[in-house]
């Protein structure tokens, strides 16, 4: 669409554009003159060309005062927006969860760890027993991911906003002073309720004095994100080549992190013995120490109990499907096998392969270097 300077009301002057439209099966949907010069006849210079006339609804062609000779043209396009499929996430259902029954079933299982077996085998056995019991008492279910509601929203404000929308739709249909006054009154009432809700929200959050950890969660909902851009898919530049295939990008990241420490411990690597860190380590082991090796000490059940108690139950569940909440509930039973598993890993210098899996989300934080 635009001013193409072909007068569509004159066949001789618009023959070039008409021929092009015929070749590409395009039609001009503006039929009346759009340009009115004082010293010449009205002309049709502003056009809207389309190959899908059935998707073009209301057309407008009027003088709005923005130009001294040209009219404003426009069209209402009928677009079909694809249905957005809702996203779901898996979570454990604690609706019928009973801690005593859960612990009772755990106690019936054999949790002894054989110190002569492979750590991977022993951990897989532990994980299988625990997951099966957890799935029995707190099974997984799918829950639809809903958009986050503004924190100061309440039932009264939500009802007032809904009524305001109804009155606005009524004004759009009837378009008279009575419906406008009703809508305006309700709009002002919603604004008043919104201010009261925000005021109450901040008072409740700041009761007892402000806390640094609550500052960002409190303020963030009131900050706009219109200037932020988000990239749904990761784009990587590797060896002067732009890579968009997500599987290929994952393999590149995986290869990098797997081999980033490949040469650590290689005797052929030259080390600067004069580096302050190297000198501090050498001095530490030279003063009364009989070995220059790093030795891990076995842990006890008290250590494991304290570590489990410090885990935040609100943290997300890992790939293994063991949530912090259910781990806290099972602590009296699993303290002993977890202690044995950790000590077996330390004594054999082998870390379980199942725990090496990680979910990596690369986030670009700096501008590209010139």
């Amino acid at each position: 669409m635009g001013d193409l300077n072909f007068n569509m009301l004159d066949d001789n002057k618009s023959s070039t554009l008409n021929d092009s439209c015929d070749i590409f099966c395009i039609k001009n949907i503006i039929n009346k003159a759009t340009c009115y010069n004082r010293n010449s006849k009205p002309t049709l210079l502003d056009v809207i060309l389309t190959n899908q006339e059935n998707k073009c609804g209301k057309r407008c062609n009027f003088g709005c005062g923005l130009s001294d000779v040209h009219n404003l043209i426009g069209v209402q396009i009928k677009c079909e927006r694809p249905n957005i499929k809702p996203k779901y996430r898996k979570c454990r259902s604690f609706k019928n969860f009973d801690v005593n029954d859960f612990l009772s079933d755990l106690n019936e299982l054999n949790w002894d760890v054989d110190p002569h077996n492979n750590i991977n085998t022993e951990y897989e056995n532990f994980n299988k027993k625990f997951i099966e019991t957890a799935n029995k008492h707190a099974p997984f279910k799918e829950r639809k991911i809903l958009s986050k509601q503004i924190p100061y929203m309440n039932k009264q404000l939500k009802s007032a906003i809904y009524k305001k929308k109804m009155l606005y739709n009524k004004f759009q249909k009837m378009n008279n002073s009575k419906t406008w006054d009703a809508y305006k009154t309700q709009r002002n009432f919603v604004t008043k309720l919104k201010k009261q809700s925000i005021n109450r929200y901040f008072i409740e959050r700041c009761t007892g004095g402000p806390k640094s950890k609550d500052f960002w969660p409190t303020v963030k909902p009131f900050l706009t994100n219109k200037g932020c851009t988000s990239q749904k898919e990761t784009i990587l530049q590797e060896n002067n080549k732009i890579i968009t295939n997500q599987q290929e990008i994952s393999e590149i990241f995986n290869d990098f992190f797997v081999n980033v420490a490949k040469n650590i411990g290689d005797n052929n690597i030259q080390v600067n013995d004069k580096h302050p860190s190297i000198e501090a380590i050498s001095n530490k082991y030279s003063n009364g120490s009989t070995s220059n090796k790093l030795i891990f000490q076995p842990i006890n059940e008290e250590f494991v109990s304290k570590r489990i108690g410090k885990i935040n139950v609100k943290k997300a569940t890992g790939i293994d499907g063991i949530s912090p909440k259910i781990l806290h509930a099972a602590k009296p039973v699993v303290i002993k096998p977890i202690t044995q598993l950790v000590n077996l890993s330390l004594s054999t210098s082998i870390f379980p392969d199942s725990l090496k899996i990680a979910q990596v989300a690369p986030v670009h934080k700096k501008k590209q270097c010139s």
Side-chain angles (χ1 to χ4, degrees):
M1 63 184 299
D3 180 7
L4 302 186
N5 285 326
F6 287 94
N7 184 12
M8 301 297 288
L9 299 179
D10 189 336
D11 294 337
N12 295 327
K13 294 183 179 180
S14 63
S15 59
T16 302
L17 183 57
N18 286 327
D19 292 343
S20 300
C21 291
D22 291 339
I23 293 173
F24 295 102
C25 299
I26 297 174
K27 182 180 179 180
N28 175 34
I29 60 175
I30 302 298
N31 301 319
K32 296 182 180 180
T34 61
C35 185
Y36 296 88
N37 284 315
R38 293 181 179 179
N39 301 325
S40 61
K41 294 182 179 180
T43 55
L44 175 51
L45 305 180
D46 308 273
V47 296
I48 297 179
L49 307 177
T50 179
N51 61 349
Q52 295 182 345
E53 187 180 4
N54 59 326
K55 291 188 177 182
C56 297
K58 296 180 180 179
R59 299 104 190 244
C60 60
N61 178 3
F62 62 93
C64 61
L66 296 176
S67 173
D68 53 348
V69 293
H70 286 272
N71 281 2
L72 181 68
I73 60 172
V75 63
Q76 185 184 66
I77 301 176
K78 301 175 183 178
C79 299
E80 294 182 0
R81 183 177 65 87
N83 293 330
I84 301 175
K85 295 182 179 180
K87 294 183 178 180
Y88 294 87
R89 64 180 178 90
K90 284 187 175 181
C91 60
R92 289 196 178 275
S93 174
F94 290 90
K95 183 178 180 180
N96 301 317
F97 182 76
D98 186 273
V99 178
N100 295 327
D101 292 344
F102 178 57
L103 292 176
S104 177
D105 286 354
L106 289 177
N107 279 316
E108 293 178 359
L109 301 174
N110 181 17
W111 296 99
D112 292 334
V113 176
D114 189 350
H116 303 291
N117 276 354
N118 185 278
I119 180 62
N120 288 308
T121 304
E122 292 300 319
Y123 177 75
E124 290 300 329
N125 290 336
F126 168 83
N127 190 66
K128 183 180 179 181
K129 295 176 185 177
F130 190 90
I131 291 296
E132 288 178 353
T133 310
N135 290 343
K136 177 182 176 182
H137 293 270
F140 279 103
K141 68 174 184 179
E142 285 190 343
R143 179 176 294 176
K144 187 186 292 186
I145 301 177
L146 302 176
S147 57
K148 291 185 178 179
Q149 186 171 270
I150 52 179
Y152 55 85
M153 180 62 68
N154 52 53
K155 188 176 181 179
Q156 184 183 12
L157 178 58
K158 187 183 293 186
S159 177
I161 292 174
Y162 180 73
K163 186 177 180 180
K164 183 188 76 169
K165 291 180 179 179
M166 291 181 59
L167 292 174
Y168 181 76
N169 293 335
K170 189 176 182 180
F171 164 71
Q172 290 286 83
K173 293 178 180 179
M174 303 182 68
N175 196 10
N176 54 45
S177 59
K178 184 179 179 180
T179 55
W180 171 252
D181 290 339
Y183 163 71
K184 186 171 64 174
T185 302
Q186 185 64 22
R187 182 192 61 186
N188 295 339
F189 179 65
V190 169
T191 303
K192 180 182 177 181
L193 283 180
K194 182 179 178 181
K195 290 180 180 179
Q196 292 176 353
S197 300
I198 294 174
N199 187 33
R200 192 182 307 112
Y201 166 78
F202 278 106
I203 291 175
E204 291 175 354
R205 297 283 292 186
C206 297
T207 301
K211 303 177 183 64
S212 57
K213 67 177 182 179
D214 295 333
F215 174 78
W216 183 245
T218 303
V219 176
K220 186 179 179 181
F222 296 89
L223 301 179
T224 178
N225 59 353
K226 292 182 178 180
C228 301
T229 57
S230 59
Q231 182 70 36
K232 293 183 178 180
E233 294 187 346
T234 304
I235 300 176
L236 184 67
Q237 180 178 350
E238 183 76 4
N239 298 326
N240 296 324
K241 180 183 176 182
I242 302 297
I243 302 173
T244 57
N245 184 278
Q246 301 302 296
Q247 179 67 28
E248 189 176 351
I249 291 174
S250 300
E251 294 296 338
I252 292 174
F253 272 97
N254 182 67
D255 182 66
F256 171 79
F257 287 110
V258 166
N259 298 309
V260 68
K262 186 177 181 179
N263 296 324
I264 291 180
D266 191 350
N267 295 328
N268 296 325
I269 298 177
Q270 296 182 356
V271 180
N272 182 13
D273 295 335
K274 300 298 182 181
H275 192 277
S277 300
I278 303 298
E279 290 183 348
I281 295 173
S282 300
N283 294 333
K284 179 180 179 180
Y285 287 107
S286 62
N287 298 330
S289 178
T290 59
S291 174
N292 59 353
K293 295 182 179 179
L294 180 62
I295 301 175
F296 290 99
Q297 299 297 327
I299 63 172
N300 52 35
E301 295 181 12
E302 183 182 357
F303 176 85
V304 175
S305 178
K306 289 182 179 179
R307 290 290 178 256
I308 294 178
K310 290 182 179 180
I311 298 176
N312 189 351
V313 295
K314 294 183 179 180
K315 293 295 183 180
T317 304
I319 298 176
D320 55 5
I322 301 176
S323 66
K325 184 176 181 179
I326 207 165
L327 184 61
H328 272 264
K331 186 172 72 169
V333 179
V334 299
I335 287 177
K336 183 178 179 180
I338 290 178
T339 305
Q340 294 174 346
L341 286 171
V342 174
N343 288 332
L344 178 60
S345 176
L346 294 176
S347 62
T348 58
S349 300
I350 300 175
F351 192 79
D353 293 336
S354 301
L355 297 178
K356 295 179 182 179
I357 302 173
Q359 293 176 323
V360 181
V363 179
H364 181 70
K365 293 186 177 181
K366 292 185 179 180
K367 294 182 179 180
Q368 184 177 358
C369 298
S370 56

